[in-house]
């Protein structure tokens, strides 16, 4: 903690404004927390560590709902652990986002009529650093708006000096262990960004294309193949069929003519081919398709590249120089002219990969790249989960993890960019290759040059859990805070980022995995469960909602929808509801302060408390235990829901209301209840703080005079339970609820007073009569009292005099009309469900709808009949 944290706390606020204004509170509060060093982590502390890394957002990014959701969950976990006495580190930082950042700066240069090549590599990289300093990282300020309790003094960037050293170190070690190699393989290539890209940077969407079936060979040696990429046929080097396909056994081993070329190609038998799909024969283009590449390797086929990096045809002939899409049409036309087109299907909807950055269609391409040999690393990553060193939550996600790591292909790590970690390999004039570590001198002299490629962004972010702590140096922070306690991230990057961190962490840290638990959450969707997208018109800027309703309201809405591994729907109405909850907390605490609620001194002995006091304290401790259990199981929705209902329903709507008569009466019982109310609010605000930090900070410091709830103790379950008090107040709630329902059924206004006789003598509720009368607006019975309606509830009798209060005849007429309508509805539904012919023909959902109507009619009949029976004179 910084020196500022030792300063005298500010004088407590003695009064609260009548309304809560988040915009006036949140910014100053957050800056105060940061200035006092509450979020910093001391590696020399003797407290037990609790570490979480932030999934580093792109330096080009801004806060979106996905960030806000994930950050809310991590912030809740770390705030609670800090309050529990852990040395808590939430590690912040940003990713340099190679392609995205380079594209941003290149667009800026384009406005000046320049390209990166006009500047040259060094000047361009200087321009990117300049952009980062001026415009990058706006998300950091937005994280402050959300309330992220991160250790800002430890903020890291994947291109800073320390992380660059880590990247170079692990590259060198992997290279020396023959786990990094250079080879020609098929990669995802973006003809616009002119680089290889990772699988996660490919977005697949259903596109309208064409499926063309064409005939290869002549006479009896013809065979039909189909393709959506006719232009690649110029690079075909075989046709493949299944070994057991009797239709083509006579052709296997033969060569047939490849149309539009002067080449003949073999027919090969390969088990990869599905004989049931299409004609059972496939064209093989090893240089332009990953499956074809593997077939080519198995059969020693040549790989002929027919497109350059811009996806322009390079094959000799009339199609040379055409763009791939232009060539597609031209080649189909040429085949049609030769009579080789057997069938054409347009449109043919199929899944097509696009560059996530520029939306250009990806081109599979044979290319000389750097690769990580992942099999031994992936096996270690799988074993760490199988043997329990790392737990995946929810557990059902383990299967997806194993499906991925057990079938990983080697990882292409080189990118044809300028912005990023440059590959630390030098090439000599005579074919020499030297990998240079951070402590090595790079070769110099004529003819030596460094590889021009940079590393995939995921390579450096895969080191995040330990590189941010100073690795490869054996720092105090690394010893204290590695491994991380938990990784909170979306299931959508389980395979890309999480798997890479597992592989690198186990490799670099001598078999110690990077975290104990992987807690996976879902994606944020709109209130109808639809993916949020600008193109759908349903994308939301979380800053707009924070401006309108406050950060706490957004956070509580997100947390309340967070079930492990499940997508989270969210709508503005729900955020507004959470704003109302924050206002409810504010108003209830303000009322409590005005009525003398206090945290001064110890709690009175239970024998001095009323049953209402004992009930709320018993419920409070149960909720503490429930919330703890949900936190430990990452059940954010359940813990938020438990806190919502306890605070709103039990504390504010019941305990506060039941205590009003006690406060009004004064005396020792009032003093006891004031202390109990102070205790309940103190603990409830501390329980709520990790999810709604701003409003709870203001209220808690006002109530207690404490320095900050951020550094307050997390509530502990004292073990106090009072089953008798819980039963007594449960009965009281039943009586009040039932009478309120009766009043509403009779059309009485909430504030309308009604004469009543309460038969409470001899029951546990006798002491509650003043509260019952106040809450139900019941007057003393008086001399002319006539019991026109009697309600027996839970062993208690409530007699009401409704004469002169309602028009009984009119009410009876209205209810009789409603009853007739309900009985008619029941008769119609019963008749349909009894009609065998109807049931045989009607769809299931129609039958189910009628069953629902029947059940509703039965409920209405029972309700209305009860109301009629209760009317005076019934």
């Amino acid at each position: 903690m910084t020196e500022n944290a030792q300063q005298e706390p500010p004088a407590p606020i003695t009064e609260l404004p009548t309304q809560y204004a988040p915009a006036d509170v949140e910014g100053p509060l957050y800056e105060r927390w940061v200035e006092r060093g509450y979020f910093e982590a001391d590696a020399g502390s003797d407290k037990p560590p609790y570490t979480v890394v932030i999934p580093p957002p792109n330096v080009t990014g801004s806060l979106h709902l996905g960030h806000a959701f994930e950050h809310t969950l991590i912030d809740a976990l770390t705030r609670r652990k800090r309050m529990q006495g852990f040395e808590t580190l939430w590690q912040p930082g940003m990713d340099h986002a190679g392609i995205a950042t380079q594209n941003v700066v290149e667009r800026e240069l384009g406005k000046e009529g320049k390209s990166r090549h006009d500047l040259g590599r060094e000047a361009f990289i200087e321009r990117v650093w300049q952009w980062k300093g001026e415009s990058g990282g706006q998300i950091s300020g937005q994280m402050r708006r959300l309330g992220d309790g991160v250790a800002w003094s430890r903020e890291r960037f994947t291109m800073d000096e320390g992380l660059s050293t880590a990247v170079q170190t692990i590259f060198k070690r992997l290279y020396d262990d023959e786990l990094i190699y250079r080879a020609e393989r098929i990669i995802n290539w973006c003809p616009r960004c002119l680089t290889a890209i990772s699988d996660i940077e490919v977005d697949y969407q259903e596109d309208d294309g064409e499926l063309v079936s064409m005939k290869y060979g002549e006479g009896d040696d013809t065979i039909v193949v189909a393709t959506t990429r006719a232009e690649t046929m110029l690079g075909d080097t075989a046709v493949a069929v299944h070994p057991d396909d009797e239709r083509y056994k006579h052709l296997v081993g033969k060569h047939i003519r490849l149309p539009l070329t002067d080449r003949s190609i073999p027919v090969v038998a390969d088990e990869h081919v599905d004989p049931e799909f299409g004609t059972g024969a496939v064209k093989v283009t090893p240089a332009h398709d990953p499956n074809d590449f593997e077939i080519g390797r198995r059969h020693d086929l040549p790989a002929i590249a027919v497109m350059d990096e811009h996806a322009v045809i390079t094959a000799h002939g009339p199609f040379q120089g055409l763009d791939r899409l232009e060539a597609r049409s031209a080649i189909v036309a040429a085949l049609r002219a030769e009579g080789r087109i057997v069938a054409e299907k347009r449109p043919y909807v199929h899944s097509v990969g696009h560059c996530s950055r520029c939306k250009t269609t990806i081109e599979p391409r044979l290319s000389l790249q750097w690769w990580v040999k992942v099999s031994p690393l992936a096996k270690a990553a799988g074993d760490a989960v199988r043997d329990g060193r790392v737990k995946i939550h929810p557990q059902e996600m383990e299967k997806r993890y194993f499906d991925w790591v057990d079938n990983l292909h080697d990882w292409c790590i080189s990118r044809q960019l300028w912005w990023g970690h440059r590959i630390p390999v030098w090439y000599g004039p005579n074919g020499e290759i030297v990998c240079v570590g951070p402590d090595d001198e790079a070769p110099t002299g004529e003819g030596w040059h460094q590889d021009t490629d940079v590393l995939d962004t995921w390579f450096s972010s895969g080191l995040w859990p330990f590189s941010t702590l100073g690795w490869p140096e054996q720092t105090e922070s690394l010893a204290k805070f590695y491994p991380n306690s938990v990784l909170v991230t979306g299931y959508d990057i389980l395979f890309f980022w999480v798997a890479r961190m597992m592989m690198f962490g186990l490799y670099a840290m001598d078999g110690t995995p990077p975290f104990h638990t992987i807690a996976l959450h879902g994606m944020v969707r709109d209130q109808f469960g639809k993916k949020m997208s600008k193109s759908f018109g349903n994308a939301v800027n979380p800053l707009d909602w924070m401006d309108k309703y406050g950060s706490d309201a957004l956070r509580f809405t997100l947390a309340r929808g967070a079930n492990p591994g499940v997508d989270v729907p969210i709508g503005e109405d729900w955020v507004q509801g959470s704003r109302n909850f924050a206002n409810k907390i504010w108003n209830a605490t303000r009322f409590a302060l005005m009525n003398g609620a206090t945290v001064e001194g110890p709690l009175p002995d239970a024998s001095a408390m009323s049953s209402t006091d004992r009930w709320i304290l018993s419920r409070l401790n149960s909720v503490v235990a429930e919330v703890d259990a949900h936190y430990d199981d990452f059940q954010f929705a359940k813990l938020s829901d438990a806190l919502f209902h306890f605070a709103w329903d039990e504390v504010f709507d019941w305990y506060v209301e039941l205590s009003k008569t006690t406060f009004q009466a004064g005396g020792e019982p009032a003093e006891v209840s004031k202390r109990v109310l102070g205790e309940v609010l103190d603990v409830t605000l501390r329980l709520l703080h990790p999810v709604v930090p701003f409003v709870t900070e203001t209220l808690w410091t006002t109530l207690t005079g404490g320095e900050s709830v951020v550094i307050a103790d997390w509530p502990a379950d004292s073990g106090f339970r009072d089953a008798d008090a819980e039963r007594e107040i449960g009965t009281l709630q039943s009586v009040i609820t039932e009478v309120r329902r009766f009043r509403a059924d009779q059309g009485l206004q909430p504030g309308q007073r009604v004469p009543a006789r309460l038969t409470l003598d001899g029951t546990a509720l006798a002491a509650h009569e003043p509260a019952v009368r106040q809450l139900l607006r019941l007057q003393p019975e008086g001399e002319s009292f006539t019991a026109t309606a009697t309600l027996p509830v839970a062993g208690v009798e409530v007699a009401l005099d409704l004469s002169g209060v309602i028009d009984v005849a009119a009410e009876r007429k209205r209810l009789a009309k409603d009853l007739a309508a309900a009985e008619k509805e029941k008769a119609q539904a019963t008749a349909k469900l009894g009609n065998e012919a109807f049931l045989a023909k009607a769809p299931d959902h129609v039958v189910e709808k009628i069953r629902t109507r029947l059940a509703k009619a039965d409920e209405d009949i029972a309700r209305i009949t009860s109301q009629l029976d209760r009317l005076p004179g019934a």
Side-chain angles (χ1 to χ4, degrees), residues 129-299:
W129 279 108
Q130 179 185 341
W131 174 87
K132 179 194 180 281
E134 295 173 356
S135 307
Q138 63 172 318
I139 195 171
S140 295
Q142 295 165 348
M143 287 164 58
R144 293 170 181 262
R145 282 285 315 277
L146 189 65
D148 285 7
V150 298
W152 287 112
S153 69
R154 291 173 172 265
E155 186 174 13
R156 304 302 298 269
F157 180 55
T158 51
M159 285 283 287
D160 68 26
E161 184 177 351
L163 270 67
S164 295
T165 298
V167 167
Q168 197 172 354
T169 299
I170 201 162
F171 187 100
K172 170 70 171 172
R173 291 187 187 179
L174 289 165
Y175 181 86
D176 290 346
D177 287 343
E178 298 184 350
L179 293 173
I180 283 183
Y181 64 94
R182 196 179 190 216
E184 276 196 323
R185 297 283 188 275
I186 294 286
I187 45 89
N188 300 311
W189 181 264
C190 176
R192 155 62 184 80
C193 298
L194 298 180
T195 181
I197 64 175
S198 67
D199 291 338
I200 197 169
E201 292 162 326
V202 179
D203 291 337
Y204 286 90
Q205 66 185 49
E206 297 295 310
D207 284 359
D208 287 345
E210 61 181 2
L211 181 66
V212 178
S213 298
M214 46 198 182
K215 184 169 58 177
Y216 287 8
E218 306 291 347
D220 292 338
D221 292 345
T222 60
I223 195 166
V224 175
V225 297
T227 183
T228 58
R229 300 163 65 217
E231 67 278 11
T232 63
M233 60 86 59
L234 299 174
D236 287 357
T237 56
V239 171
V241 298
H242 193 275
D244 299 331
D245 195 332
E246 295 293 335
R247 294 172 295 176
Y248 302 116
K249 284 207 168 183
H250 69 288
L251 288 176
V252 173
K254 287 188 176 182
H255 281 66
I256 58 175
R257 180 180 168 234
L258 178 66
L260 308 182
T261 72
D262 58 1
R263 292 189 291 116
S264 64
I265 57 177
V267 177
V268 300
D270 194 281
E271 292 190 351
H272 170 76
V273 180
D274 180 2
E276 302 298 324
F277 183 77
T279 63
V282 296
K283 58 191 286 299
V284 182
T285 321
H288 293 280
D289 183 274
N291 293 321
D292 293 4
F293 178 78
E294 295 302 326
I295 293 175
R297 291 178 69 177
R298 287 193 289 272
H299 297 277

Side-chain angles (χ1 to χ4, degrees), residues 498-517:
V498 179
R500 282 152 174 69
M501 286 191 290
M502 286 285 283
M503 291 191 295
F504 282 167
L506 289 159
Y507 174 80
M509 300 300 292
D510 300 321
T512 302
F515 17 72
H516 297 301
T517 301

Side-chain angles (χ1 to χ4, degrees), residues 136 426 553 818 869:
W426 271 254
D818 290 347
D869 290 343

Side-chain angles (χ1 to χ4, degrees), residues 617-664:
L617 288 175
S618 180
R619 289 292 307 125
L620 176 67
N621 281 285
S622 295
V623 169
V624 170
E626 182 181 359
V627 168
D628 276 334
H630 289 324
Y631 262 117
D632 292 342
D633 199 34
F634 305 101
Q635 297 283 357
F636 296 98
K638 289 182 179 178
L639 72 89
S640 299
D641 213 45
L643 286 170
F644 174 86
H645 287 294
F646 176 70
W648 192 307
D649 299 344
E650 299 187 81
V651 179
F652 305 148
D653 280 358
W654 283 108
Y655 182 71
V656 169
E657 292 300 319
L658 289 170
S659 299
K660 284 181 178 179
T661 53
T662 305
F663 294 151
Q664 290 166 2

Side-chain angles (χ1 to χ4, degrees), residues 334-351:
L335 290 168
R336 191 182 299 114
E338 286 192 5
R340 292 191 173 272
I341 297 297
V342 175
E344 297 178 70
K345 184 176 182 180
R346 297 188 187 89
Y348 178 72
V349 180
H350 61 133
S351 181

Side-chain angles (χ1 to χ4, degrees), residues 441-488:
E441 290 290 332
T444 57
E446 187 176 350
W448 283 93
H449 64 279
Q450 186 177 358
D451 196 299
T452 57
D453 289 351
V454 300
L455 288 163
D456 178 11
T457 299
W458 295 100
F459 191 94
S460 50
S461 60
L463 314 180
W464 194 246
F466 52 93
S467 64
T468 52
L469 298 172
W471 187 90
E473 299 298 322
Q474 297 304 306
T475 64
E476 189 179 31
S477 288
L478 188 64
K480 177 75 173 182
F481 296 114
Y482 187 92
N484 285 203
S485 306
V486 62
L487 173 74
V488 180

